[in-house]
Amino acid sequence: MPDQSLPQTRTVEAPPGEAVSKNASPGEGISRRRLLGTAGATGLVLGAAGGAVGYASAPAGATPLTSLGEDMAMFHGKHQPGITEGLQARGHLVAFDLAAGAGRKEAAALLRRWSTTAQRLMAGEAAAQDDTDVARDAGPSSLTITFGFGNSFFSRTGLEKQRPGSLDPLPDFSSDHLDKARSNGDLWVQIGANDALVAFHALRTIQKDAGSAAKVRWQMNGFNRTPGATSHKLTARNLMGQLDGTRNPKPAESDFDKRIFVPASGSTDPAWMANGSYAVVRRIRMLLDDWEKLSVHAQENVVGRRKSNGAALSGGGETTAMDLEKTDANGALVVPINAHARIARPDQNGGAAMLRRPFSYHDGIAADGTPDAGLLFVCWQADPLRGFVTVQRKLDRGDALSTYIRHEASGLFAVPGGAAEGEYVGQRLLEG
């Protein structure tokens, strides 16, 4: 529950990427939105032309922002935001191609603009120029903005020698029905927030910032359950109704960083990728009409887990280890040999692991009456060949779930480490 009066602002240090409570300072002045009570309850103070707009203190009795709106992720840090944070309620994925004639200089200026915008918006402040006021009454709402580079970016900017080998194109898979127009791209931006208007505001501002330097190649919109919508924290469900992400690597695990982030030393990746990660992005359409014709029992056999609580069919709770050898009274494996959860397990793929951080999507009803809906799959790993590619190849050879999904778009992006104070994202690549 929110406090009944506005708190005194103080500085709070938090690990990179973690949300900061409503009492925190963004580091560059007080956020105009975190000082806002109810809309219209404050006095407007005009700043310099084109600059940020501030608000006077709310009168006694004004209702402060809820905790959901006040939560704030940090822009500066060891890693970029939007990787280890919890799932956000709204998301936008957008890829850009550099404009004809734009090169390294224009790309550097663009990443500098984008980084400034990301820092301001994530702190709950207005855009530096021509803010649209879409998110005027909201707090940061856990907004994160993440930037990455596609394979083609390096030839466009004359930086071929700095292109990581891990950015080699993904192989073809049998479940692919890829639309090239909605795949890949020179630059990739991931936006997530717990408020739809805050997320849209960020998307619109990033697009405007691109100016003449880059144009949108493709853009996708997603959603998840809003934090706090359940009585206690639960693993998210996808549009098939299944818990999704039960075996995700956890930051507390000793080998988490090794699996998810490029090390600062001892890596074959170029130095500018230190503390970065690789994002595989896939638009996976779920054939929901076919899926929903199955009984719950049949759906559970496809996945290998209970639909109600995510527990393995071999017994226990959601986090109980799956017994791959357990059989029923007839001698049949309790977890079918082609069950998705069995095939995708790290211990069935040489330890391959990736941090899945997806959004669901629904883009209306197709001409044949079927829903155009599914998963905007985003996974993070230190090495996509050992992460996504290893697992997807295994799934390609007999995953029961493949009958009910179709991969329709794909991208692979190198996401550099976080920007230090005074830096912009990608500066070590573009100015190194």
Side-chain angles (χ1 to χ4, degrees), residues 93 182 220-225 237-242 244 282-289 291-292 356-365 370-378 401 404-408:
L93 307 179
R182 292 194 294 180
M220 302 174 189
N221 309 312
F223 59 90
N224 284 304
R225 174 174 279 155
R237 289 189 184 274
N238 59 35
L239 298 188
M240 288 178 160
Q242 301 286 155
D244 195 337
R282 309 278 278 184
R283 185 183 190 271
I284 304 176
R285 185 172 180 180
M286 295 176 173
L287 308 181
L288 294 178
D289 282 357
W291 174 256
E292 291 163 4
R356 303 172 73 260
R357 198 174 181 277
F359 293 95
S360 293
Y361 78 87
H362 179 224
D363 288 342
I365 308 300
T370 60
D372 184 3
L375 197 69
L376 301 182
F377 175 92
V378 183
L401 188 60
Y404 304 97
I405 61 174
R406 187 162 59 220
H407 293 239
E408 295 186 335

Side-chain angles (χ1 to χ4, degrees), residues 104-317:
R104 181 174 177 176
K105 179 180 177 181
E106 290 77 14
L110 175 57
L111 267 296
R112 189 180 295 111
R113 290 196 299 275
W114 274 352
S115 295
T116 298
T117 289
Q119 181 180 359
R120 293 181 66 90
L121 298 191
M122 285 175 56
E125 300 172 2
Q129 299 290 333
D130 302 321
D131 191 85
T132 62
D133 282 342
V134 170
R136 181 183 180 88
D137 309 307
S141 302
S142 298
L143 174 68
T144 60
I145 305 177
T146 318
F147 304 103
F149 304 111
N151 183 293
S152 56
F153 176 83
F154 297 85
S155 58
R156 298 292 304 275
T157 55
L159 292 166
E160 292 96 335
K161 292 182 179 180
Q162 290 297 318
R163 178 169 49 210
S166 296
L167 264 188
D168 288 348
L170 297 173
D172 295 329
F173 301 104
S174 63
S175 58
D176 286 354
H177 296 74
L178 303 182
D179 178 356
K180 292 184 179 180
R182 292 194 294 180
S183 299
N184 301 313
D186 295 341
L187 294 156
W188 175 68
V189 185
Q190 174 191 252
I191 296 167
N194 284 333
D195 178 79
L197 287 179
V198 168
F200 176 82
H201 178 245
L203 173 67
R204 182 66 181 134
T205 306
I206 288 293
Q207 181 188 359
K208 289 171 62 179
D209 276 353
S212 60
K215 60 181 180 179
V216 173
R217 178 181 176 87
W218 55 259
Q219 192 251 312
M220 302 174 189
N221 309 312
F223 59 90
N224 284 304
R225 174 174 279 155
T226 300
T230 55
S231 59
H232 60 283
K233 190 174 182 180
L234 297 168
T235 303
R237 289 189 184 274
N238 59 35
L239 298 188
M240 288 178 160
Q242 301 286 155
L243 294 185
D244 195 337
T246 295
R247 288 186 57 85
N248 247 352
K250 306 295 191 295
E253 295 171 358
S254 60
D255 60 350
F256 179 84
D257 280 5
K258 180 180 178 181
R259 291 178 167 190
I260 307 305
F261 295 111
V262 175
S265 61
S267 171
T268 58
D269 286 274
W272 64 267
M273 269 299 290
N275 302 313
S277 188
Y278 291 92
V280 174
V281 182
R282 309 278 278 184
R283 185 183 190 271
I284 304 176
R285 185 172 180 180
M286 295 176 173
L287 308 181
L288 294 178
D289 282 357
D290 294 335
W291 174 256
E292 291 163 4
K293 291 175 183 176
L294 299 178
S295 66
V296 171
H297 176 70
Q299 291 177 353
E300 291 176 341
N301 279 336
V302 168
V303 175
R305 291 185 175 274
R306 299 291 178 201
K307 194 171 184 179
S308 59
N309 62 1
L313 297 184
S314 55

